[in-house]
Amino acid sequence: PLPGEPEPLTMMLNKPEGFLVTASDDQGRRTVFDLLEKNVPPSLRYIGRLDRDSSGLLLLTTDGELAFRLSHPRYEVVKRYEVTVNREPAARALDRLRAGIELEDGPSAPAEIDVLYTNSDGVRLRISIHEGRKRQVRRMLRAVGYGVSKLERVEFAGLKLGKLASGKTRVLNEDELQQLR
């Protein structure tokens, strides 16, 4: 008898800065797959991306239907980030982000944005978007005149990063999978 299909695997990774979200890199740079156990299924794929300078929640799965559901723009899956910018944003800049802003590749959808706190590193913002364009949060903030020194995705489709240590993974439980579906 042939073996049956393996059960789908979906896990969360707390991606550290400095790692590429790709299966391999022809320049020999570190990828998120270097952080995983060596016995992961070859069909394991990431859902969405984070650039090399960003950290936080990244989902990986062997479930193609789930990957499609979480990555296709028509489903408007919310992604929440905590971002450190170089100075206190003006109310006008925040209003522009909340209304949607013109980027090189077209207008962005409106963002939810809150100022969390200010410290010696800068001002910490929480930004929620449902698009997933390349370096979108950084480009949105740059368009209104603010540099980003730190960007971390803390939530994806209602699933929170929580206390998962940087560079570590954990398999999602059935309740979390139902929430994502």
Side-chain angles (χ1 to χ4, degrees):
L2 295 173
E5 292 257 342
E7 285 294 313
L9 171 67
T10 303
M11 64 175 66
M12 166 191 306
L13 166 68
N14 186 350
K15 178 201 165 299
E17 291 179 12
F19 286 80
L20 296 175
V21 179
T22 186
S24 63
D25 181 61
D26 58 2
Q27 297 178 30
R29 296 174 292 186
R30 299 179 301 179
T31 77
V32 293
F33 287 86
D34 295 329
L35 297 167
L36 304 178
E37 299 289 326
K38 298 304 177 203
N39 60 350
V40 296
S43 60
L44 189 68
R45 300 289 179 258
Y46 50 85
I47 302 172
R49 289 183 178 256
L50 287 170
D51 65 48
R52 186 170 61 174
D53 298 327
S54 298
S55 63
L57 197 158
L58 183 69
L59 294 175
L60 301 128
T61 189
T62 59
D63 184 336
E65 186 176 318
L66 179 64
F68 176 78
R69 166 73 178 80
L70 293 174
S71 58
H72 196 282
R74 81 168 164 222
Y75 294 106
E76 297 187 354
V77 173
V78 174
K79 293 159 275 295
R80 188 160 289 128
Y81 301 84
E82 289 191 7
V83 183
T84 303
V85 295
N86 49 354
R87 65 186 190 284
E88 182 82 32
R92 184 172 185 276
L94 295 176
D95 289 343
R96 286 180 62 201
L97 293 166
R98 289 179 181 125
I101 192 150
E102 187 65 38
L103 299 173
E104 317 82 60
D105 56 351
S108 73
E112 292 179 25
I113 186 163
D114 297 298
V115 177
L116 298 177
Y117 58 83
T118 301
N119 65 20
S120 60
D121 293 332
V123 178
R124 190 78 163 174
L125 307 173
R126 179 179 300 126
I127 299 177
S128 301
I129 61 173
H130 63 77
E131 296 176 298
R133 295 189 277 176
K134 187 175 183 177
R135 300 177 68 88
Q136 183 174 352
V137 172
R138 290 178 189 277
R139 292 187 302 133
M140 289 172 70
L141 287 163
R142 185 174 50 238
V144 293
Y146 295 89
V148 172
S149 60
K150 184 170 179 58
L151 189 148
E152 178 183 25
R153 182 162 48 207
V154 296
E155 189 175 329
F156 191 120
L159 189 65
K160 294 184 173 144
L161 183 60
K163 299 194 183 303
L164 184 63
S166 181
K168 299 298 181 187
T169 61
R170 72 172 182 79
V171 175
L172 299 186
N173 64 44
E174 193 55 42
D175 289 341
E176 292 168 325
L177 290 170
Q178 287 303 320
Q179 176 184 333
L180 291 177
R181 289 187 184 108

